[in-house]
Amino acid sequence: MAIIGLIFVISGIYPKFTGIIHAYITYSFLSYCDVIDGGDHLASNLTLLLIPITLLDNSKNHWLKNGLLYRKNYYLKLIQKTFYTLIHIQVCSVYLHAFVGKLFIDEWLNGTAAYYWLTNKYFGVHVMFTDLTVKILSNEFVTTFVTWGTLLLEFALASFIFVSRKSLKRRFLLFIIAILFHFCIFIFHGLASFFMVMFAAATIYLIPKNINYQVNFKS
Protein backbone atom coordinates (compact mmCIF):
# COMPACT_ATOMS: atom_id res chain seq x y z
CA MET A 1 0.00 0.00 0.00
CA ALA A 2 2.89 2.35 0.75
CA ILE A 3 4.39 1.69 -2.69
CA ILE A 4 1.05 2.35 -4.38
CA GLY A 5 0.68 5.57 -2.40
CA LEU A 6 4.17 6.72 -3.40
CA ILE A 7 3.43 5.98 -7.06
CA PHE A 8 0.55 8.45 -6.82
CA VAL A 9 2.88 10.95 -5.13
CA ILE A 10 5.47 10.61 -7.90
CA SER A 11 2.79 10.90 -10.59
CA GLY A 12 2.01 14.38 -9.26
CA ILE A 13 -1.76 14.13 -9.42
CA TYR A 14 -3.76 16.29 -7.05
CA PRO A 15 -0.92 17.38 -4.73
CA LYS A 16 -3.41 18.59 -2.11
CA PHE A 17 -4.18 14.91 -1.44
CA THR A 18 -0.89 13.21 -2.28
CA GLY A 19 1.02 15.64 -0.03
CA ILE A 20 -0.78 14.19 2.99
CA ILE A 21 -0.20 10.63 1.78
CA HIS A 22 3.51 11.36 1.32
CA ALA A 23 3.87 12.77 4.82
CA TYR A 24 1.99 9.86 6.36
CA ILE A 25 4.19 7.27 4.61
CA THR A 26 7.49 8.94 5.54
CA TYR A 27 6.39 9.32 9.16
CA SER A 28 5.22 5.70 9.32
CA PHE A 29 8.51 4.47 7.87
CA LEU A 30 10.45 6.53 10.39
CA SER A 31 8.35 5.25 13.28
CA TYR A 32 8.27 1.54 12.50
CA CYS A 33 11.32 0.65 10.39
CA ASP A 34 14.12 -1.06 12.30
CA VAL A 35 16.90 0.45 10.16
CA ILE A 36 16.79 4.22 9.56
CA ASP A 37 19.28 7.01 8.95
CA GLY A 38 19.26 10.79 9.17
CA GLY A 39 17.67 11.04 5.75
CA ASP A 40 14.52 9.32 7.02
CA HIS A 41 14.17 11.89 9.82
CA LEU A 42 14.61 14.73 7.34
CA ALA A 43 12.15 13.24 4.83
CA SER A 44 9.49 13.01 7.53
CA ASN A 45 10.07 16.60 8.64
CA LEU A 46 10.08 18.06 5.12
CA THR A 47 6.97 16.25 3.92
CA LEU A 48 5.17 17.42 7.07
CA LEU A 49 6.17 21.03 6.41
CA LEU A 50 5.01 20.71 2.80
CA ILE A 51 1.43 19.77 3.78
CA PRO A 52 0.15 23.37 4.23
CA ILE A 53 1.61 24.26 0.82
CA THR A 54 0.22 21.23 -1.00
CA LEU A 55 -3.21 21.65 0.63
CA LEU A 56 -3.49 25.07 -1.01
CA ASP A 57 -2.32 23.82 -4.39
CA ASN A 58 -5.29 23.47 -6.75
CA SER A 59 -3.26 22.00 -9.61
CA LYS A 60 -4.43 18.72 -11.09
CA ASN A 61 -0.80 17.68 -11.46
CA HIS A 62 2.31 19.35 -10.06
CA TRP A 63 4.40 18.41 -13.10
CA LEU A 64 2.33 20.46 -15.56
CA LYS A 65 3.40 23.96 -14.53
CA ASN A 66 6.69 25.83 -14.29
CA GLY A 67 7.27 28.90 -12.17
CA LEU A 68 5.55 29.86 -8.94
CA LEU A 69 2.23 31.64 -9.47
CA TYR A 70 1.50 34.35 -6.94
CA ARG A 71 -2.12 35.31 -6.34
CA LYS A 72 -3.41 38.49 -4.72
CA ASN A 73 -4.57 36.71 -1.59
CA TYR A 74 -2.19 37.95 1.12
CA TYR A 75 -2.90 35.10 3.54
CA LEU A 76 -2.21 32.36 1.00
CA LYS A 77 1.11 33.96 0.10
CA LEU A 78 1.95 34.34 3.79
CA ILE A 79 1.30 30.64 4.45
CA GLN A 80 3.35 29.62 1.44
CA LYS A 81 6.31 31.86 2.36
CA THR A 82 6.17 30.87 6.03
CA PHE A 83 6.41 27.14 5.39
CA TYR A 84 9.03 27.47 2.67
CA THR A 85 11.08 29.49 5.16
CA LEU A 86 10.64 26.77 7.79
CA ILE A 87 11.83 24.20 5.24
CA HIS A 88 14.90 26.32 4.48
CA ILE A 89 15.65 26.63 8.20
CA GLN A 90 15.29 22.85 8.60
CA VAL A 91 17.73 22.07 5.79
CA CYS A 92 20.12 24.80 6.96
CA SER A 93 20.10 23.31 10.47
CA VAL A 94 21.03 19.88 9.07
CA TYR A 95 24.18 21.24 7.42
CA LEU A 96 24.97 23.53 10.36
CA HIS A 97 24.63 20.66 12.85
CA ALA A 98 26.86 18.47 10.69
CA PHE A 99 29.50 21.22 10.56
CA VAL A 100 29.44 22.25 14.21
CA GLY A 101 29.38 18.65 15.46
CA LYS A 102 32.62 17.90 13.63
CA LEU A 103 34.43 20.84 15.24
CA PHE A 104 34.61 18.95 18.54
CA ILE A 105 36.29 15.87 17.05
CA ASP A 106 40.09 15.87 16.86
CA GLU A 107 40.23 13.85 13.62
CA TRP A 108 38.16 16.45 11.78
CA LEU A 109 40.25 19.31 13.11
CA ASN A 110 43.60 17.73 12.26
CA GLY A 111 42.44 16.68 8.79
CA THR A 112 42.55 12.87 9.13
CA ALA A 113 38.83 12.01 9.54
CA ALA A 114 38.34 11.15 5.85
CA TYR A 115 40.94 8.39 6.11
CA TYR A 116 39.26 6.74 9.10
CA TRP A 117 35.74 7.00 7.71
CA LEU A 118 36.53 5.74 4.21
CA THR A 119 38.63 2.82 5.45
CA ASN A 120 36.26 1.85 8.26
CA LYS A 121 35.31 -1.83 8.22
CA TYR A 122 31.58 -1.18 8.47
CA PHE A 123 31.02 2.33 7.04
CA GLY A 124 33.88 2.67 4.57
CA VAL A 125 34.21 1.83 0.90
CA HIS A 126 33.54 -1.63 -0.47
CA VAL A 127 36.26 -4.16 0.30
CA MET A 128 37.26 -4.36 -3.36
CA PHE A 129 38.22 -0.65 -3.29
CA THR A 130 39.90 -0.66 0.12
CA ASP A 131 43.49 -1.03 -1.13
CA LEU A 132 43.10 1.75 -3.69
CA THR A 133 41.43 4.02 -1.14
CA VAL A 134 44.22 3.45 1.38
CA LYS A 135 46.85 4.29 -1.25
CA ILE A 136 45.09 7.52 -2.23
CA LEU A 137 44.38 8.63 1.32
CA SER A 138 47.90 7.84 2.43
CA ASN A 139 48.78 11.16 0.85
CA GLU A 140 48.29 13.63 3.68
CA PHE A 141 47.36 16.46 1.33
CA VAL A 142 44.53 14.43 -0.24
CA THR A 143 43.20 13.35 3.15
CA THR A 144 43.36 16.87 4.54
CA PHE A 145 41.69 18.31 1.42
CA VAL A 146 38.79 15.84 1.61
CA THR A 147 38.37 16.30 5.37
CA TRP A 148 38.52 20.07 5.54
CA GLY A 149 36.75 20.37 2.19
CA THR A 150 33.78 18.57 3.73
CA LEU A 151 33.74 21.01 6.64
CA LEU A 152 33.97 24.01 4.32
CA LEU A 153 31.18 22.73 2.08
CA GLU A 154 28.83 22.03 5.00
CA PHE A 155 29.48 25.52 6.38
CA ALA A 156 28.87 27.07 2.94
CA LEU A 157 25.61 25.16 2.54
CA ALA A 158 24.39 26.25 5.97
CA SER A 159 25.31 29.90 5.34
CA PHE A 160 23.49 30.03 2.00
CA ILE A 161 20.22 30.63 3.82
CA PHE A 162 21.38 34.26 4.02
CA VAL A 163 22.29 34.53 0.31
CA SER A 164 19.85 36.36 -1.95
CA ARG A 165 17.46 34.15 -3.92
CA LYS A 166 18.42 36.19 -6.99
CA SER A 167 22.01 34.87 -6.96
CA LEU A 168 21.13 32.12 -9.41
CA LYS A 169 24.62 31.30 -10.69
CA ARG A 170 26.07 30.84 -7.20
CA ARG A 171 23.05 28.84 -6.08
CA PHE A 172 23.14 26.48 -9.06
CA LEU A 173 26.91 26.04 -8.70
CA LEU A 174 26.61 25.16 -5.02
CA PHE A 175 23.65 22.90 -5.84
CA ILE A 176 25.75 20.90 -8.30
CA ILE A 177 28.62 20.66 -5.79
CA ALA A 178 26.21 19.55 -3.05
CA ILE A 179 24.69 16.84 -5.25
CA LEU A 180 28.14 15.55 -6.22
CA PHE A 181 29.10 15.53 -2.52
CA HIS A 182 26.04 13.51 -1.52
CA PHE A 183 26.51 11.21 -4.51
CA CYS A 184 30.04 10.45 -3.30
CA ILE A 185 28.60 9.59 0.12
CA PHE A 186 26.20 7.24 -1.66
CA ILE A 187 29.00 5.58 -3.64
CA PHE A 188 31.49 5.28 -0.76
CA HIS A 189 29.11 4.54 2.12
CA GLY A 190 26.17 2.96 0.31
CA LEU A 191 23.56 5.39 1.68
CA ALA A 192 21.20 5.37 -1.31
CA SER A 193 18.03 6.60 0.42
CA PHE A 194 20.01 9.33 2.20
CA PHE A 195 21.25 10.56 -1.19
CA MET A 196 17.68 10.73 -2.54
CA VAL A 197 16.44 12.74 0.44
CA MET A 198 19.37 15.17 0.39
CA PHE A 199 18.96 15.63 -3.37
CA ALA A 200 15.36 16.70 -2.78
CA ALA A 201 16.27 18.85 0.24
CA ALA A 202 19.06 20.64 -1.65
CA THR A 203 16.70 21.29 -4.56
CA ILE A 204 14.14 23.04 -2.35
CA TYR A 205 16.84 24.81 -0.32
CA LEU A 206 19.11 26.10 -3.07
CA ILE A 207 16.99 26.49 -6.21
CA PRO A 208 14.54 29.44 -6.02
CA LYS A 209 10.96 28.18 -5.98
CA ASN A 210 9.88 30.35 -8.91
CA ILE A 211 12.42 28.62 -11.15
CA ASN A 212 11.44 25.02 -10.77
CA TYR A 213 7.78 24.54 -9.96
CA GLN A 214 4.42 26.21 -9.54
CA VAL A 215 1.95 26.27 -6.71
CA ASN A 216 -1.45 27.15 -8.14
CA PHE A 217 -3.13 29.21 -5.42
CA LYS A 218 -6.64 30.38 -6.25
CA SER A 219 -8.08 33.28 -4.34
Side-chain angles (χ1 to χ4, degrees):
M1 291 181 64
I3 292 173
I4 293 173
L6 289 174
I7 289 174
F8 280 107
V9 172
I10 294 170
S11 72
I13 63 172
Y14 296 105
K16 66 167 51 183
F17 302 116
T18 54
I20 297 175
I21 294 173
H22 196 185
Y24 176 75
I25 292 173
T26 55
Y27 175 76
S28 298
F29 185 85
L30 175 65
S31 299
Y32 296 104
C33 186
D34 291 331
V35 181
I36 59 174
D37 57 42
D40 300 316
H41 287 273
L42 183 59
S44 180
N45 290 349
L46 294 184
T47 52
L48 179 64
L49 290 172
L50 281 170
I51 286 180
I53 299 173
T54 58
L55 279 176
L56 295 173
D57 190 350
N58 290 304
S59 302
K60 292 183 179 180
N61 191 298
H62 66 220
W63 295 110
L64 298 180
K65 302 292 183 179
N66 184 34
L68 186 66
L69 178 63
Y70 286 97
R71 297 291 185 177
K72 294 182 179 180
N73 190 307
Y74 170 80
Y75 297 102
L76 295 182
K77 290 194 293 184
L78 179 62
I79 293 172
Q80 179 263 326
K81 290 182 179 180
T82 297
F83 281 91
Y84 268 124
T85 300
L86 290 175
I87 290 172
H88 294 157
I89 293 173
Q90 169 69 89
V91 179
C92 170
S93 67
V94 169
Y95 288 117
L96 184 62
H97 181 271
F99 169 72
V100 174
K102 292 180 177 65
L103 297 181
F104 298 94
I105 301 175
D106 292 338
E107 287 79 7
W108 283 101
L109 295 179
N110 62 31
T112 61
Y115 178 88
Y116 296 115
W117 271 108
L118 292 174
T119 59
N120 185 277
K121 180 179 179 181
Y122 298 103
F123 302 105
V125 298
H126 192 277
V127 63
M128 64 184 298
F129 299 116
T130 300
D131 291 339
L132 177 61
T133 303
V134 170
K135 289 181 180 179
I136 295 175
L137 295 179
S138 293
N139 185 308
E140 61 180 301
F141 295 104
V142 174
T143 302
T144 302
F145 174 79
V146 174
T147 302
W148 288 353
T150 299
L151 289 172
L152 180 62
L153 177 59
E154 289 174 341
F155 175 76
L157 286 166
S159 64
F160 247 66
I161 195 171
F162 301 109
V163 175
S164 171
R165 310 300 290 177
K166 296 180 181 179
S167 304
L168 295 182
K169 290 185 178 180
R170 284 187 291 176
R171 285 188 166 276
F172 277 109
L173 176 60
L174 189 61
F175 172 74
I176 293 173
I177 295 173
I179 297 307
L180 291 174
F181 170 67
H182 289 298
F183 184 72
C184 288
I185 293 177
F186 163 44
I187 295 298
F188 294 135
H189 300 295
L191 300 176
S193 63
F194 181 76
F195 166 70
M196 299 291 183
V197 173
M198 295 311 301
F199 193 121
T203 301
I204 299 175
Y205 180 60
L206 292 172
I207 298 180
K209 48 188 173 296
N210 61 313
I211 296 296
N212 225 35
Y213 38 82
Q214 170 167 342
V215 177
N216 185 18
F217 293 149
K218 290 184 178 180
S219 58

